Amino acid sequence: MNLSSPLLRNAGTASLALVCSALTLGAGLAPTPAHANGAAFYTAELATPAAERTNIISGVAWQCEGTNCAAAKSNSRAVVVCQRVARELGEVTGFTAKGEALDTEDLARCNK
């Protein structure tokens, strides 16, 4: 068997196709900052700056700059997401979901 056999050429082509597919899928699944292109579903204003730029809270990646944090949509209600953020990052002074701010009652529940 030599290197130009059809079997080796097909195996090489199949391997290359598999690698390209894996790389394409990986790029599509890679996390992106929530701030990119206004893609943030949630925003949180903290009383004190976040210690870390990226914080994973209940499976949601939060990107923070100082006291401003943003994240993509999760499967939980906004007040529940806010409570999780407050538990992990400290007091939340403002919180929005899809551009709508939590009212003062929900914000108070968020920080309990």
Side-chain angles (χ1 to χ4, degrees):
M1 187 183 288
N2 62 30
L3 293 178
S4 63
S5 75
L7 180 61
L8 288 178
R9 273 185 281 154
N10 288 342
T13 302
S15 296
L16 181 61
L18 183 61
V19 168
C20 288
S21 295
L23 290 174
T24 302
L25 179 63
L29 296 177
T32 57
H35 291 287
N37 301 321
F41 186 85
Y42 301 112
T43 62
E45 178 71 27
L46 306 175
T48 58
E52 301 290 326
R53 180 170 168 77
T54 301
N55 300 276
I56 308 297
I57 302 171
S58 296
V60 177
W62 284 83
Q63 299 297 321
C64 299
E65 290 183 21
T67 60
N68 298 311
C69 298
K73 189 174 191 288
S74 75
N75 293 327
S76 299
R77 293 180 301 120
V79 74
V80 172
V81 175
C82 184
Q83 288 170 331
R84 291 174 181 157
V85 170
R87 207 173 309 133
E88 294 290 325
L89 302 179
E91 182 183 356
V92 176
T93 58
F95 191 88
T96 64
K98 199 176 180 181
E100 294 185 34
L102 289 185
D103 61 31
T104 51
E105 184 179 303
D106 283 340
L107 193 57
R109 284 195 298 158
C110 169
N111 286 301
K112 284 189 177 180

